[in-house]
Short mmCIF file of all heavy atoms in Angstrom, two decimals:
data_model
loop_
_atom_site.label_atom_id
_atom_site.label_comp_id
_atom_site.label_asym_id
_atom_site.label_seq_id
_atom_site.Cartn_x
_atom_site.Cartn_y
_atom_site.Cartn_z
N ILE Q 126 0.82 -1.21 0.00
CA ILE Q 126 0.00 0.00 0.00
C ILE Q 126 0.86 1.26 0.00
O ILE Q 126 0.47 2.29 -0.57
CB ILE Q 126 -0.98 0.02 1.19
CG1 ILE Q 126 -0.24 -0.06 2.53
CG2 ILE Q 126 -2.00 -1.10 1.05
CD1 ILE Q 126 -1.13 0.03 3.73
N PHE Q 127 2.05 1.18 0.62
CA PHE Q 127 2.97 2.33 0.58
C PHE Q 127 3.34 2.66 -0.86
O PHE Q 127 3.29 3.82 -1.29
CB PHE Q 127 4.22 2.03 1.40
CG PHE Q 127 5.37 2.95 1.12
CD1 PHE Q 127 5.30 4.29 1.45
CD2 PHE Q 127 6.53 2.47 0.51
CE1 PHE Q 127 6.37 5.15 1.17
CE2 PHE Q 127 7.58 3.31 0.23
CZ PHE Q 127 7.51 4.66 0.57
N LEU Q 128 3.69 1.64 -1.64
CA LEU Q 128 4.06 1.86 -3.04
C LEU Q 128 2.88 2.40 -3.85
O LEU Q 128 3.04 3.31 -4.67
CB LEU Q 128 4.58 0.55 -3.65
CG LEU Q 128 5.89 0.01 -3.06
CD1 LEU Q 128 6.21 -1.36 -3.65
CD2 LEU Q 128 7.03 0.99 -3.31
N MET Q 129 1.69 1.85 -3.59
CA MET Q 129 0.51 2.33 -4.32
C MET Q 129 0.19 3.78 -3.97
O MET Q 129 -0.09 4.60 -4.85
CB MET Q 129 -0.69 1.43 -4.01
CG MET Q 129 -0.66 0.08 -4.70
SD MET Q 129 -2.22 -0.83 -4.53
CE MET Q 129 -2.18 -1.28 -2.80
N PHE Q 130 0.22 4.09 -2.67
CA PHE Q 130 -0.09 5.46 -2.24
C PHE Q 130 0.88 6.47 -2.84
O PHE Q 130 0.48 7.52 -3.33
CB PHE Q 130 -0.04 5.55 -0.72
CG PHE Q 130 -1.26 4.96 -0.02
CD1 PHE Q 130 -1.18 4.56 1.30
CD2 PHE Q 130 -2.46 4.82 -0.68
CE1 PHE Q 130 -2.29 4.03 1.94
CE2 PHE Q 130 -3.58 4.30 -0.05
CZ PHE Q 130 -3.49 3.90 1.27
N GLU Q 131 2.16 6.16 -2.78
CA GLU Q 131 3.18 7.10 -3.27
C GLU Q 131 3.02 7.33 -4.78
O GLU Q 131 3.04 8.48 -5.25
CB GLU Q 131 4.58 6.58 -2.97
CG GLU Q 131 5.01 6.75 -1.53
CD GLU Q 131 5.28 8.21 -1.16
OE1 GLU Q 131 5.01 9.12 -1.98
OE2 GLU Q 131 5.76 8.44 -0.04
N LEU Q 132 2.90 6.25 -5.54
CA LEU Q 132 2.83 6.37 -6.99
C LEU Q 132 1.61 7.18 -7.42
O LEU Q 132 1.72 8.09 -8.27
CB LEU Q 132 2.80 4.99 -7.64
CG LEU Q 132 2.78 4.96 -9.17
CD1 LEU Q 132 3.98 5.69 -9.74
CD2 LEU Q 132 2.75 3.52 -9.68
N LEU Q 133 0.46 6.88 -6.83
CA LEU Q 133 -0.74 7.58 -7.26
C LEU Q 133 -0.76 9.02 -6.75
O LEU Q 133 -1.25 9.92 -7.44
CB LEU Q 133 -1.99 6.84 -6.79
CG LEU Q 133 -3.28 7.26 -7.52
CD1 LEU Q 133 -3.12 7.14 -9.03
CD2 LEU Q 133 -4.47 6.44 -7.05
N GLN Q 134 -0.22 9.27 -5.55
CA GLN Q 134 -0.17 10.64 -5.05
C GLN Q 134 0.68 11.52 -5.96
O GLN Q 134 0.30 12.64 -6.29
CB GLN Q 134 0.41 10.66 -3.63
CG GLN Q 134 0.42 12.03 -2.97
CD GLN Q 134 -0.95 12.53 -2.61
OE1 GLN Q 134 -1.85 11.75 -2.34
NE2 GLN Q 134 -1.14 13.84 -2.60
N VAL Q 135 1.83 10.99 -6.37
CA VAL Q 135 2.69 11.73 -7.30
C VAL Q 135 1.97 11.97 -8.62
O VAL Q 135 2.00 13.08 -9.19
CB VAL Q 135 4.01 10.96 -7.54
CG1 VAL Q 135 4.77 11.55 -8.71
CG2 VAL Q 135 4.88 11.00 -6.28
N THR Q 136 1.31 10.94 -9.12
CA THR Q 136 0.60 11.05 -10.40
C THR Q 136 -0.51 12.10 -10.33
O THR Q 136 -0.67 12.91 -11.26
CB THR Q 136 -0.01 9.68 -10.78
OG1 THR Q 136 1.03 8.70 -10.84
CG2 THR Q 136 -0.69 9.75 -12.14
N LEU Q 137 -1.28 12.08 -9.25
CA LEU Q 137 -2.38 13.04 -9.10
C LEU Q 137 -1.86 14.47 -9.04
O LEU Q 137 -2.46 15.39 -9.62
CB LEU Q 137 -3.19 12.72 -7.84
CG LEU Q 137 -3.99 11.41 -7.86
CD1 LEU Q 137 -4.65 11.16 -6.50
CD2 LEU Q 137 -5.05 11.43 -8.96
N GLN Q 138 -0.74 14.66 -8.34
CA GLN Q 138 -0.17 16.01 -8.25
C GLN Q 138 0.38 16.49 -9.58
O GLN Q 138 0.37 17.69 -9.87
CB GLN Q 138 0.93 16.04 -7.19
CG GLN Q 138 0.40 15.94 -5.78
CD GLN Q 138 1.44 16.18 -4.72
OE1 GLN Q 138 1.14 16.10 -3.55
NE2 GLN Q 138 2.66 16.50 -5.09
N MET Q 139 0.87 15.57 -10.40
CA MET Q 139 1.36 15.96 -11.72
C MET Q 139 0.22 16.44 -12.61
O MET Q 139 0.40 17.35 -13.42
CB MET Q 139 2.08 14.78 -12.37
CG MET Q 139 3.43 14.46 -11.76
SD MET Q 139 4.15 12.95 -12.48
CE MET Q 139 4.35 13.44 -14.20
N GLY Q 140 -0.96 15.82 -12.49
CA GLY Q 140 -2.03 16.08 -13.44
C GLY Q 140 -3.13 17.00 -12.98
O GLY Q 140 -3.91 17.48 -13.81
N LEU Q 141 -3.22 17.29 -11.67
CA LEU Q 141 -4.32 18.10 -11.16
C LEU Q 141 -3.79 19.30 -10.37
O LEU Q 141 -2.79 19.18 -9.66
CB LEU Q 141 -5.23 17.27 -10.25
CG LEU Q 141 -5.90 16.04 -10.87
CD1 LEU Q 141 -6.65 15.27 -9.80
CD2 LEU Q 141 -6.83 16.43 -12.00
N SER Q 142 -4.47 20.40 -10.49
CA SER Q 142 -4.11 21.57 -9.67
C SER Q 142 -4.69 21.40 -8.27
O SER Q 142 -5.59 20.57 -8.06
CB SER Q 142 -4.68 22.84 -10.30
OG SER Q 142 -6.10 22.83 -10.25
N ASP Q 143 -4.18 22.17 -7.33
CA ASP Q 143 -4.71 22.12 -5.97
C ASP Q 143 -6.21 22.44 -5.97
O ASP Q 143 -6.98 21.84 -5.21
CB ASP Q 143 -3.97 23.13 -5.07
CG ASP Q 143 -2.53 22.72 -4.81
OD1 ASP Q 143 -2.13 21.65 -5.32
OD2 ASP Q 143 -1.82 23.46 -4.11
N ASP Q 144 -6.60 23.37 -6.83
CA ASP Q 144 -8.01 23.77 -6.89
C ASP Q 144 -8.88 22.62 -7.38
O ASP Q 144 -9.97 22.38 -6.84
CB ASP Q 144 -8.16 24.97 -7.81
CG ASP Q 144 -9.57 25.54 -7.77
OD1 ASP Q 144 -10.06 25.85 -6.67
OD2 ASP Q 144 -10.20 25.67 -8.84
N GLN Q 145 -8.41 21.88 -8.38
CA GLN Q 145 -9.17 20.73 -8.89
C GLN Q 145 -9.31 19.66 -7.82
O GLN Q 145 -10.38 19.06 -7.65
CB GLN Q 145 -8.47 20.13 -10.11
CG GLN Q 145 -8.62 20.93 -11.39
CD GLN Q 145 -7.84 20.31 -12.53
OE1 GLN Q 145 -6.61 20.25 -12.49
NE2 GLN Q 145 -8.55 19.86 -13.56
N ILE Q 146 -8.23 19.42 -7.06
CA ILE Q 146 -8.27 18.41 -6.00
C ILE Q 146 -9.23 18.83 -4.90
O ILE Q 146 -10.03 18.03 -4.41
CB ILE Q 146 -6.85 18.17 -5.43
CG1 ILE Q 146 -5.98 17.49 -6.48
CG2 ILE Q 146 -6.92 17.31 -4.17
CD1 ILE Q 146 -4.52 17.34 -6.09
N ASN Q 147 -9.18 20.09 -4.52
CA ASN Q 147 -10.07 20.58 -3.46
C ASN Q 147 -11.53 20.54 -3.89
O ASN Q 147 -12.41 20.21 -3.09
CB ASN Q 147 -9.67 22.01 -3.06
CG ASN Q 147 -8.37 22.05 -2.30
OD1 ASN Q 147 -8.01 21.09 -1.61
ND2 ASN Q 147 -7.63 23.15 -2.43
N LYS Q 148 -11.81 20.87 -5.13
CA LYS Q 148 -13.20 20.83 -5.62
C LYS Q 148 -13.73 19.40 -5.68
O LYS Q 148 -14.90 19.14 -5.41
CB LYS Q 148 -13.29 21.48 -7.00
CG LYS Q 148 -13.24 23.00 -6.98
CD LYS Q 148 -13.39 23.58 -8.38
CE LYS Q 148 -13.39 25.11 -8.33
NZ LYS Q 148 -13.49 25.72 -9.69
N ALA Q 149 -12.86 18.46 -6.04
CA ALA Q 149 -13.28 17.05 -6.09
C ALA Q 149 -13.56 16.53 -4.69
O ALA Q 149 -14.38 15.63 -4.51
CB ALA Q 149 -12.20 16.21 -6.76
N SER Q 150 -12.86 17.07 -3.70
CA SER Q 150 -13.05 16.71 -2.29
C SER Q 150 -12.92 15.20 -2.11
O SER Q 150 -11.95 14.60 -2.55
CB SER Q 150 -14.40 17.24 -1.80
OG SER Q 150 -14.55 17.04 -0.42
N THR Q 151 -13.92 14.57 -1.47
CA THR Q 151 -13.85 13.13 -1.17
C THR Q 151 -14.24 12.27 -2.37
O THR Q 151 -14.28 11.04 -2.25
CB THR Q 151 -14.76 12.80 0.02
OG1 THR Q 151 -16.10 13.17 -0.30
CG2 THR Q 151 -14.32 13.53 1.27
N ASN Q 152 -14.51 12.89 -3.50
CA ASN Q 152 -14.91 12.15 -4.70
C ASN Q 152 -13.81 12.19 -5.75
O ASN Q 152 -14.07 12.16 -6.95
CB ASN Q 152 -16.20 12.77 -5.27
CG ASN Q 152 -16.96 11.82 -6.16
OD1 ASN Q 152 -17.04 10.63 -5.88
ND2 ASN Q 152 -17.50 12.33 -7.25
N LEU Q 153 -12.54 12.21 -5.29
CA LEU Q 153 -11.42 12.50 -6.18
C LEU Q 153 -11.23 11.47 -7.29
O LEU Q 153 -11.11 11.81 -8.47
CB LEU Q 153 -10.13 12.64 -5.37
CG LEU Q 153 -8.87 12.98 -6.18
CD1 LEU Q 153 -9.04 14.32 -6.88
CD2 LEU Q 153 -7.65 12.99 -5.28
N LEU Q 154 -11.15 10.19 -6.95
CA LEU Q 154 -10.84 9.18 -7.96
C LEU Q 154 -11.92 9.06 -9.04
O LEU Q 154 -11.57 8.89 -10.23
CB LEU Q 154 -10.57 7.83 -7.31
CG LEU Q 154 -9.20 7.68 -6.66
CD1 LEU Q 154 -8.95 6.25 -6.23
CD2 LEU Q 154 -8.07 8.14 -7.57
N PRO Q 155 -13.20 9.13 -8.71
CA PRO Q 155 -14.20 9.17 -9.80
C PRO Q 155 -14.00 10.35 -10.74
O PRO Q 155 -14.20 10.22 -11.95
CB PRO Q 155 -15.53 9.28 -9.04
CG PRO Q 155 -15.28 8.56 -7.75
CD PRO Q 155 -13.86 8.93 -7.40
N VAL Q 156 -13.61 11.50 -10.21
CA VAL Q 156 -13.32 12.67 -11.04
C VAL Q 156 -12.13 12.37 -11.96
O VAL Q 156 -12.15 12.68 -13.16
CB VAL Q 156 -13.03 13.92 -10.18
CG1 VAL Q 156 -12.50 15.06 -11.04
CG2 VAL Q 156 -14.30 14.35 -9.45
N VAL Q 157 -11.09 11.76 -11.41
CA VAL Q 157 -9.91 11.39 -12.20
C VAL Q 157 -10.29 10.38 -13.28
O VAL Q 157 -9.83 10.47 -14.43
CB VAL Q 157 -8.80 10.82 -11.30
CG1 VAL Q 157 -7.65 10.26 -12.13
CG2 VAL Q 157 -8.29 11.90 -10.35
N GLY Q 158 -11.13 9.40 -12.92
CA GLY Q 158 -11.58 8.41 -13.88
C GLY Q 158 -12.26 9.04 -15.08
O GLY Q 158 -12.01 8.65 -16.23
N ASP Q 159 -13.10 10.04 -14.83
CA ASP Q 159 -13.79 10.73 -15.93
C ASP Q 159 -12.82 11.56 -16.78
O ASP Q 159 -13.06 11.76 -17.98
CB ASP Q 159 -14.88 11.65 -15.37
CG ASP Q 159 -16.07 10.86 -14.83
OD1 ASP Q 159 -16.27 9.71 -15.29
OD2 ASP Q 159 -16.79 11.38 -13.95
N LEU Q 160 -11.73 12.03 -16.16
CA LEU Q 160 -10.75 12.82 -16.89
C LEU Q 160 -9.90 11.98 -17.84
O LEU Q 160 -9.54 12.43 -18.93
CB LEU Q 160 -9.83 13.56 -15.92
CG LEU Q 160 -10.37 14.81 -15.23
CD1 LEU Q 160 -9.36 15.32 -14.21
CD2 LEU Q 160 -10.66 15.91 -16.27
N ILE Q 161 -9.57 10.79 -17.44
CA ILE Q 161 -8.60 10.00 -18.21
C ILE Q 161 -9.23 8.95 -19.12
O ILE Q 161 -8.58 8.45 -20.03
CB ILE Q 161 -7.57 9.33 -17.29
CG1 ILE Q 161 -8.24 8.35 -16.33
CG2 ILE Q 161 -6.78 10.38 -16.53
CD1 ILE Q 161 -7.28 7.62 -15.42
N PHE Q 162 -10.50 8.60 -18.87
CA PHE Q 162 -11.15 7.58 -19.70
C PHE Q 162 -12.42 8.14 -20.34
O PHE Q 162 -13.14 8.91 -19.71
CB PHE Q 162 -11.52 6.34 -18.87
CG PHE Q 162 -10.34 5.64 -18.26
CD1 PHE Q 162 -10.23 5.51 -16.88
CD2 PHE Q 162 -9.35 5.09 -19.06
CE1 PHE Q 162 -9.16 4.86 -16.31
CE2 PHE Q 162 -8.26 4.45 -18.50
CZ PHE Q 162 -8.16 4.33 -17.12
N PRO Q 163 -12.74 7.74 -21.57
CA PRO Q 163 -13.98 8.18 -22.20
C PRO Q 163 -15.19 7.55 -21.51
O PRO Q 163 -15.11 6.46 -20.95
CB PRO Q 163 -13.84 7.68 -23.65
CG PRO Q 163 -12.91 6.52 -23.56
CD PRO Q 163 -11.94 6.85 -22.45
N HIS Q 164 -16.31 8.24 -21.53
CA HIS Q 164 -17.54 7.73 -20.94
C HIS Q 164 -17.98 6.46 -21.66
O HIS Q 164 -17.90 6.40 -22.89
CB HIS Q 164 -18.64 8.79 -21.04
CG HIS Q 164 -19.92 8.40 -20.38
ND1 HIS Q 164 -20.07 8.44 -19.00
CD2 HIS Q 164 -21.10 7.94 -20.88
CE1 HIS Q 164 -21.29 8.04 -18.69
NE2 HIS Q 164 -21.93 7.73 -19.83
N PRO Q 165 -18.42 5.40 -20.98
CA PRO Q 165 -18.66 5.31 -19.53
C PRO Q 165 -17.52 4.65 -18.76
O PRO Q 165 -17.70 4.23 -17.62
CB PRO Q 165 -19.91 4.42 -19.49
CG PRO Q 165 -19.67 3.44 -20.61
CD PRO Q 165 -18.95 4.22 -21.70
N TRP Q 166 -16.33 4.51 -19.40
CA TRP Q 166 -15.24 3.75 -18.77
C TRP Q 166 -14.71 4.42 -17.51
O TRP Q 166 -14.10 3.79 -16.66
CB TRP Q 166 -14.11 3.54 -19.79
CG TRP Q 166 -14.57 2.73 -20.96
CD1 TRP Q 166 -14.84 3.17 -22.22
CD2 TRP Q 166 -14.87 1.33 -20.95
NE1 TRP Q 166 -15.28 2.13 -23.01
CE2 TRP Q 166 -15.31 0.98 -22.26
CE3 TRP Q 166 -14.80 0.33 -19.98
CZ2 TRP Q 166 -15.68 -0.30 -22.61
CZ3 TRP Q 166 -15.17 -0.96 -20.33
CH2 TRP Q 166 -15.59 -1.27 -21.62
N GLY Q 167 -14.96 5.72 -17.36
CA GLY Q 167 -14.55 6.40 -16.15
C GLY Q 167 -15.25 5.87 -14.91
O GLY Q 167 -14.79 6.07 -13.78
N ASP Q 168 -16.36 5.16 -15.13
CA ASP Q 168 -17.11 4.60 -13.99
C ASP Q 168 -16.34 3.51 -13.25
O ASP Q 168 -16.75 3.11 -12.15
CB ASP Q 168 -18.46 4.04 -14.46
CG ASP Q 168 -19.46 5.15 -14.79
OD1 ASP Q 168 -19.18 6.31 -14.45
OD2 ASP Q 168 -20.51 4.84 -15.40
N ILE Q 169 -15.26 3.02 -13.85
CA ILE Q 169 -14.49 1.99 -13.13
C ILE Q 169 -13.93 2.56 -11.83
O ILE Q 169 -13.73 1.82 -10.86
CB ILE Q 169 -13.35 1.39 -13.98
CG1 ILE Q 169 -12.26 2.43 -14.29
CG2 ILE Q 169 -13.86 0.74 -15.23
CD1 ILE Q 169 -11.00 1.81 -14.84
#
């Protein structure tokens, strides 16, 4: 889980601004899913 947390935290910071992360709040990964995959695949 340490490796997973670090890799994804770095990735999220590379691709999202602080404002985007704050607006997503507790729904962050679904927001990321919609950003990187075409609908409806972001639902994963």
Side-chain angles (χ1 to χ4, degrees):
I126 59 177
F127 164 66
L128 294 174
M129 285 190 289
F130 284 158
E131 283 289 7
L132 182 57
L133 197 54
Q134 184 70 29
V135 168
T136 303
L137 292 175
Q138 289 189 182
M139 288 175 62
L141 301 175
S142 67
D143 291 359
D144 187 54
Q145 285 177 296
I146 292 173
N147 289 331
K148 283 182 178 178
S150 186
T151 59
N152 201 39
L153 182 62
L154 283 188
V156 170
V157 173
D159 288 336
L160 282 175
I161 62 178
F162 298 119
H164 184 77
W166 297 106
D168 286 348
I169 65 167

